[in-house]
Amino acid sequence: MNIIFVLAIVLINTLAFMAYRKLSILRSISQIQAEVELEMQDRAHQLLVRRDQLEVGLVKDAAEQADEQWKGDLAEYMEEFEQEALLRAKRRLTKV
């Protein structure tokens, strides 16, 4: 009878440990997302400042070319951060 209780306690402890590990993994994923979002906001701000500087210093004809260049930079920036987020998530998950 005591063996059954010991086995039940060991099983419950094992399940609790597995749940704890899964929760810690989920917590690290949200940290990764927060870090990436902060970096994305910083770079987006830099891109917007650069666009404003371009618009102030350009004549009307060159504004379209600057706008296309800014859109290309923005698309590149978004792709870069998606890749960065995936790499960070993979690194964190392999450490755990």
Side-chain angles (χ1 to χ4, degrees), residues 24-60:
S24 67
I25 289 172
L26 289 175
R27 185 182 70 208
S28 68
I29 290 172
S30 64
Q31 280 181 310
I32 294 168
Q33 290 173 342
E35 290 173 5
V36 170
E37 286 176 11
L38 183 63
E39 288 181 25
M40 287 181 71
Q41 286 178 348
D42 184 48
R43 287 212 179 165
H45 174 72
Q46 291 174 358
L47 282 170
L48 290 173
V49 167
R50 195 174 84 198
R51 179 180 178 175
D52 289 343
Q53 290 171 344
L54 285 172
E55 286 180 353
V56 168
L58 296 174
V59 293
K60 206 172 195 177

Side-chain angles (χ1 to χ4, degrees), residues 50-85:
R50 195 174 84 198
R51 179 180 178 175
D52 289 343
Q53 290 171 344
L54 285 172
E55 286 180 353
V56 168
L58 296 174
V59 293
K60 206 172 195 177
D61 295 336
E64 286 182 22
Q65 182 182 7
D67 190 48
E68 289 299 318
Q69 179 185 3
W70 180 81
K71 287 179 183 177
D73 291 345
L74 183 61
E76 180 182 321
Y77 150 80
M78 295 297 287
E79 179 66 28
E80 178 183 324
F81 269 101
E82 284 180 18
Q83 295 301 320
E84 180 79 19

